């Protein structure tokens, strides 16, 4: 725990050294930052570095993160460790929706942060932040275990400065609305755009029909 800042409350001399006065924010953030439970999953080569960071040599249990959960219902950090393909992104968003709040996302590596070496590839999403709110980006291909540890420590620092009054999940009227899960058709589609996509598809079909009718040879042309 960080050293307590001096407060304007005086502690009686007989209680000094036994009682400390701090804010609710500090206690709450301290307990949360030191017990982050990552979701146990990996999607590409960066996951190997994540596994290595969890193993004995780097050992992120030193930061209270050793309890990697195989269920999103029990996890509060999603480390997106690898290339986010269009096929995988609906599953990743669904897993994120299943995590309880407060929850955080770490984009590990060039692929998760912006597409990496596969950017603009036909099957790859150019950054998971197009679908999830990312808290920390870690550069590298792959990032080393030290880089992942640095990213996780950066997340802890971010939590240190959060306030119960301001975080979105404690706002009055905040309803934990699920993020829209994209659907993979000919390309990724946002379900909120269905009406517009359907209208566009209908217009396109009508235009094609009209064009085909125009190009059809007349009966005279066929006879000739
Ligand atoms: S950033 Fe590099 S190491 Fe990580 S998933 Fe992409 S290609 Fe693999």
């Amino acid at each position: 725990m960080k050293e307590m800042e001096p407060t304007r409350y005086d502690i009686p001399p007989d209680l000094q050294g036994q009682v400390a006065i701090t804010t609710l924010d500090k206690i709450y953030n301290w307990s949360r930052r030191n017990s982050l439970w990552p979701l146990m999953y990996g999607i590409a080569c960066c996951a190997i570095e994540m596994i290595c960071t969890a193993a004995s040599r780097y050992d992120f249990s030193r930061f209270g993160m050793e309890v990697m959960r195989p269920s999103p219902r029990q996890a509060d950090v999603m480390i997106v460790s690898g290339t986010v393909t269009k096929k995988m992104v609906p599953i990743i968003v669904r897993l994120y929706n299943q995590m309880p709040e407060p929850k955080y996302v770490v984009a590990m590596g060039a692929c998760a942060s912006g597409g990496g070496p596969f950017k603009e590839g036909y099957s790859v999403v150019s950054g998971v932040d197009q679908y999830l709110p990312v808290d920390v980006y870690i550069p590298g291909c792959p990032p080393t275990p030290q880089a992942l540890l640095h990213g996780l420590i950066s997340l802890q620092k971010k939590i240190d400065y959060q306030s119960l009054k301001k975080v979105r999940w404690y706002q009055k009227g905040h309803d934990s609305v699920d993020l829209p899960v994209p659907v993979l058709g000919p390309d990724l589609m946002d379900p909120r755009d269905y009406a517009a996509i359907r209208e566009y598809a209908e217009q396109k079909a009508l235009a094609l029909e009209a064009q085909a009718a125009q190009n059809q040879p007349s009966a005279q042309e066929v006879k000739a």
Side-chain angles (χ1 to χ4, degrees):
M1 190 171 172
K2 280 185 179 174
E3 206 176 299
M4 296 289 175
E5 287 167 11
T7 62
R8 57 197 168 87
Y9 301 102
D10 291 330
I11 298 171
D14 51 334
L15 288 179
Q16 280 187 8
Q18 299 172 50
V19 172
I21 296 176
T22 185
T23 61
L24 190 58
D25 272 345
K26 269 206 160 62
I27 286 287
Y28 177 79
N29 290 342
W30 169 78
S31 53
R32 217 154 28 97
R33 75 183 312 269
N34 291 315
S35 59
L36 290 168
W37 291 2
L39 180 61
M40 186 158 55
Y41 88 114
I43 42 181
C45 12
C46 275
I48 304 299
E49 298 294 322
M50 183 183 68
I51 294 163
C52 180
T53 316
S56 54
R57 185 176 177 124
Y58 295 98
D59 188 17
F60 62 27
S61 63
R62 292 176 292 149
F63 303 92
M65 295 170 190
E66 75 274 35
V67 195
M68 289 190 99
R69 306 308 297 167
S71 162
R73 310 273 183 211
Q74 299 165 349
D76 52 10
V77 184
M78 174 180 268
I79 302 174
V80 184
S81 55
T83 319
V84 183
T85 59
K86 290 181 180 174
K87 202 171 176 183
M88 277 302 291
V89 78
I91 296 147
I92 294 172
V93 176
R94 191 168 297 121
L95 285 171
Y96 176 81
N97 284 341
Q98 289 172 347
M99 288 164 61
E101 285 177 326
K103 55 187 169 184
Y104 303 94
V105 179
V106 174
M108 180 184 179
C111 284
S113 301
F118 311 109
K119 189 172 169 64
E120 311 297 347
Y122 74 97
S123 60
V124 171
V125 170
S126 296
V128 75
D129 56 0
Q130 292 178 14
Y131 296 92
L132 299 180
V134 173
D135 294 281
V136 175
Y137 297 85
I138 304 174
C141 175
T144 57
Q146 293 93 330
L148 176 56
L149 284 177
H150 183 266
L152 292 170
I153 292 168
S154 302
L155 178 61
Q156 289 185 320
K157 283 186 184 158
K158 183 174 179 173
I159 294 171
D160 280 340
Y161 289 101
Q162 287 190 325
S163 163
L164 285 171
K165 281 191 193 149
K166 292 192 184 144
V167 283
R168 68 175 185 279
W169 40 86
Y170 294 133
Q171 297 304 308
K172 224 177 185 173
H174 170 70
D175 191 11
S176 175
V177 182
D178 284 352
L179 296 178
V181 179
V183 178
L184 183 59
D187 204 341
L188 279 173
M189 292 181 287
D190 186 327
R192 291 169 299 183
D193 296 338
Y194 272 169
I197 292 169
R198 189 170 294 128
E199 197 184 319
Y200 175 79
E202 280 170 4
Q203 280 174 2
K204 201 85 183 156
L206 286 175
L208 283 172
E209 267 176 37
Q211 200 182 0
Q214 235 177 18
N215 292 342
Q216 243 176 11
S218 64
Q220 282 175 342
E221 282 173 332
V222 172
K223 268 187 196 168

